[in-house]
Amino acid sequence: MTRMLALLDRWVERGWLRALDAAFARFLWTEAREATPLLLLAAALASHQLGRGHVCLDLAATLDDPAFALSLPPDGPPSPDAEPAQPPAEILAGVTLAQWRAALDAPGLVGTEAGNTPLVLAGTRLYLRRYWQYEQDVRAAIVRRLARSAEFEAALPPGAARRALDALFPARGAQAGEPPRADWQKLACALAARSAFSIVTGGPGTGKTTTVVKLLALLQTLALGQGGTSGISGSARALRIRLAAPTGKAAARLNESIAGAVARLPFDDLANGDALRAAIPTVVTTLHRVLGTRPGSRRFRHDAANPLPVDVLVIDEASMVDLEMMAAVLDALPPGARLILLGDKDQLASVEAGAVLGELCDRAREGHYTEATRAWLEAATGERIDTAMLDAHGTPLDQAVAMLRESHRFATDSGIGALADLVNAGDAVGVAKIWTRGHADLARLTCPSTDDAPLRALIVDGRAADAGADHDVLSRRHGYRHYLETMRALRPGSGTSSEALAQWAAAVLKAHGEFQLLCALRRGPWGVEGLNRRVARLLHEENLIDPRGDWYAGRPVLVTHNDYELGLMNGDIGIALELPVCDGEPPMLRVAFPAADGTGGVKWVSPSRLQGVETVFALTVHKSQGSEFTHAALVLPNTYSPVLTRELVYTGITRARAYFTLVLPEGRSVLDRAVLAKVQRASGLMAGLAEDAGTA
C-alpha cells in the first residue's frame, strides 16, 4: 500500500494524475484500512477520468489499453524534477478483470446501487457516487419525458400542424434531374412538436437556429388557438419560453441569429401575426442564469422543489452541456414542459465529464424511425422519410431526434465543408488529398519551431502556402494586423462622445473576429501557453503592440470563469483599448467586450476588476466552441497526444466561416492519427437508457 501511494504521488509529479486524484485515494485508505492497492488505484483513476471528461472508469477498456483509456501522455512535458515512474500499463500487466473486480469487493467503499459508499460499481464501470447519481437522474428524467410523448402527440392534430408548417416552410422547387428531397427542417419541427423531449442536431450552417425559431412559431401558433392547442392541458395562452446556452459567448451569438431568424419569419401568412411575433423570445441567457446560481454552492435556486416557470426550454450548443449540468436542467424542469436541445453531435463534448448530446444522437444519421412515426410526420408535414431510415425496432429516443443534413453555410464546392466531412467520416486518405485540389478557402502551412517566418506571415497577415488562392483571396484572409491597425486608425480624439467610443470599440471587436489562432493543447511550445508568448513577441517586433506590463492596448483577453457582477461569462473575449484623454493625463486602459444582448453594443470594464482572464492570441479549440471566425487557423502539435481526435479537428475546422489554415509544426503531421482517433468517453448512459426505455 505504501508503494502504491508513493507511485500515485510520482504520477502527479509527471502530470499523469491530478493532485486531487491521489488525495482521494489516500483519503479512502485513511477511512478504510482494509482497502487493497488495486482498489486505491481504481479510485485514483476513476477520479482522474472525470478530469478527462469521462463519467466513470471502464475497467475492461483500461486493461485493454491503459494509455489510451487514461489519455496519456498529458498535454506537455513533465516537470524536469519529476522522478521516473512505472506507467499504468506496467502496474496493470497481468491483472485480469476478475481480479480487479474482486479487489473492489469492499462494501464500506464500493456499492452496486443506491447508498452512501463513495464509489459505485456497475458492471465493469466504476463511478464516483455523485456522477453515478447524475447518470441515473438524467436517464430516468429522459425516459419519463419520452413516455409522455404520446400525450403531446394526441394533443397535436396533424392537420393543425400541417397548416402552420406549410405557412412557415414555403414549398421548395426540386433541382432539375434530381428526385425531391425531404425538408428536414420541417420534419424536425414536427418531430419536436410531438414530444416532451427532443433533439435537433446538424453540422454548421444546416439551419438549427432557423428551425428552432420556426418550431417556436409553430408551438405558439397552436398554443394561441390558431387551429389547435400545443399542450396537454389544451389552454389557449402563449407558452412561456426560455432560450439558453452553456456559455456567455454562445448566448451572445445565438441572440444575434435568433433576432435575425425571427425578423425573417412570414408572420403575415400566419393568423394573429403581431401577437405571435411578440410571443417568440429573442433574448438568450446562460444556463447558469436560467437555473439561478448560488454563490459557493454547486446547487441552483431552481430544482424539483422550485421548478422553472417555463413551458418550453431551448438549449443551444448542447454538445457543451456536461452530465452534471444536464441533471440540474432536467431536475428543474416542470413535468409538463418541453426540453429542446440544439447542437452539432460531431463537435467536441463538454470540458467537464460527460458527452450527453453525442451519446443521445449516436443513431441520428440512420434515423431508426418507426412506420407509425413516418405516417404521423407525413400527415403533419407532407414530407416523406426515406424507407432506408425506417426501423421496426426504433427506440422512443430515436423518434425524438432529428438530424439536419443540408449545409447552407458552405457551398457545394467549399473546401472547408468538404474537409469537415472527410474528417468527420474518419477518411485520412481523403484529408491528405484535399490540399492538392486548389480550394481557395483552404491552406496548409509547415511551421518549424526554429523559423519564425511562416508563423509571422500567418498571424500578422493571414498568409500561408496556397496552391489555389489568388491575390484577392489572400488580401481578404486577415491576420492580427487587421484588428490592431483598425484600433489605431479609428481611435477617436479626446473629448469624443461615449457613442463614438462604443462605435470604435465595436469596429475593433468585429475586426478581431476576422482571425483566430486555435490550439489543441494548453501546454508545450505548440499549446496556448507557448504560442501566446511567441505571437506577442512577433507582433511586438512588427510594432503592432507594445506589451510592457500585463496590460497594453490591443491585448485580447479571454474570461475564464463566470462573473455575474460584471455580467461576463466564461469564454467571453474582450480587447484592451487605450481611451483618448486630455493632454498631460496618463493613458486610460479599458477592456471592451461585446454586449451580451446581441445588439452590437459594448461593455467597458476596468482591467483592475478582471480577476479571471488570460491573453488569447491563441485559443484552445475547446474554448472556441460557440464562436465563429472569418479565418481560423488550427495548430497541431509536433507529437501525438490522445486528446487529438477527429472531433477536435472537426470542431477547429468548423470555427471558420470563410477561410481555414492548418498549421503543422516541423512538417511532422499528426493529422492522420487524429482523424482516425474518435473520442471514446466512458459512460453508462445509453446502456441504461435502452434498458429503461424497453421496460417503460
Side-chain angles (χ1 to χ4, degrees), residues 274-430:
D274 290 340
L276 185 59
R277 186 190 301 272
I280 299 177
T282 57
V283 176
V284 186
T285 54
T286 64
L287 273 174
H288 286 84
R289 280 194 180 278
V290 170
L291 295 176
T293 55
R294 289 178 171 177
S297 171
R298 303 181 76 101
R299 300 185 64 82
F300 296 95
R301 291 201 314 272
H302 290 289
D303 54 19
N306 179 31
L308 288 165
V310 298
D311 299 302
V312 181
L313 176 62
V314 178
I315 303 177
D316 192 30
E317 295 288 356
S319 63
M320 300 167 66
V321 180
D322 60 87
L323 181 68
E324 181 179 0
M325 177 59 78
M326 190 63 75
V329 168
L330 289 164
D331 185 49
L333 207 59
R338 283 184 172 86
L339 176 61
I340 302 166
L341 304 181
L342 304 179
D344 186 345
K345 69 180 183 64
D346 298 313
Q347 273 192 193
L348 278 172
S350 63
V351 176
E352 305 299 329
V356 180
L357 186 78
E359 290 187 73
L360 295 176
C361 294
D362 185 56
R363 288 156 54 99
R365 187 174 298 278
E366 296 80 19
H368 297 280
Y369 299 115
T370 64
E371 187 62 61
T373 296
R374 178 164 77 165
W376 189 92
L377 288 174
E378 185 171 4
T381 67
E383 305 286 330
R384 188 165 179 81
I385 295 175
D386 190 274
T387 303
M389 303 185 73
L390 296 183
D391 181 354
H393 304 289
T395 67
L397 176 62
D398 294 328
Q399 315 314 303
V401 179
M403 180 175 172
L404 306 182
R405 299 154 192 275
E406 183 179 349
S407 177
H408 304 282
R409 185 203 295 183
F410 302 128
T412 55
D413 60 347
S414 164
I416 296 175
L419 177 61
D421 288 343
L422 290 168
V423 168
N424 214 359
D427 186 351
V429 174

Side-chain angles (χ1 to χ4, degrees), residues 466-524:
D466 295 90
D470 57 24
H471 178 74
D472 183 54
V473 167
L474 293 175
S475 67
R476 288 184 279 115
R477 188 183 289 165
H478 295 299
Y480 286 138
R481 182 195 299 276
H482 179 57
Y483 92 88
L484 292 166
E485 290 190 342
T486 299
M487 177 185 71
R488 291 179 179 177
L490 300 184
R491 184 173 182 266
S494 60
T496 302
S497 68
S498 59
E499 181 180 356
L501 289 175
Q503 290 174 350
W504 168 53
V508 176
L509 289 166
K510 182 176 185 237
H512 180 264
E514 293 288 321
F515 175 74
Q516 183 62 56
L517 194 65
L518 303 176
C519 299
L521 309 176
R522 285 198 56 83
R523 299 172 58 194

Side-chain angles (χ1 to χ4, degrees), residues 615-667:
T615 302
V616 70
F617 290 119
L619 177 68
T620 62
V621 175
H622 263 296
K623 288 287 188 180
S624 74
Q625 288 180 268
S627 301
E628 291 178 0
F629 310 97
T630 304
H631 178 194
L634 173 61
V635 181
L636 296 183
N638 55 353
T639 56
Y640 181 74
S641 166
V643 303
L644 294 172
T645 62
R646 73 178 63 162
E647 289 86 354
L648 183 140
V649 176
Y650 170 84
T651 303
I653 294 167
T654 55
R655 298 312 90 202
R657 282 193 300 264
Y659 308 107
F660 174 75
T661 299
L662 178 68
V663 181
L664 303 171
E666 315 268 345

Side-chain angles (χ1 to χ4, degrees), residues 107-181:
L109 296 179
V110 184
T112 57
E113 54 187 20
N116 58 6
T117 57
L119 297 167
V120 177
L121 182 63
T124 65
R125 298 185 297 272
L126 182 67
Y127 295 81
L128 271 65
R129 174 163 294 281
R130 183 154 56 90
Y131 284 85
W132 176 83
Q133 192 62 57
Y134 290 148
E135 193 172 272
Q136 299 297 307
D137 292 346
V138 168
R139 186 175 72 199
I142 291 175
V143 169
R144 285 195 301 269
R145 292 188 176 280
L146 291 173
R148 298 198 70 187
S149 294
E151 301 173 62
F152 279 80
E153 181 180 322
L156 178 59
R162 177 70 180 270
R163 288 190 293 274
L165 285 169
D166 284 347
L168 290 165
F169 292 90
R172 303 189 307 175
Q175 296 289 332
E178 292 185 6
R181 292 173 297 169

Side-chain angles (χ1 to χ4, degrees), residues 449-467:
S449 58
T450 55
D451 183 4
D452 282 340
L455 183 63
R456 185 190 304 269
L458 174 68
I459 62 103
V460 174
D461 294 308
R463 303 297 179 93
D466 295 90

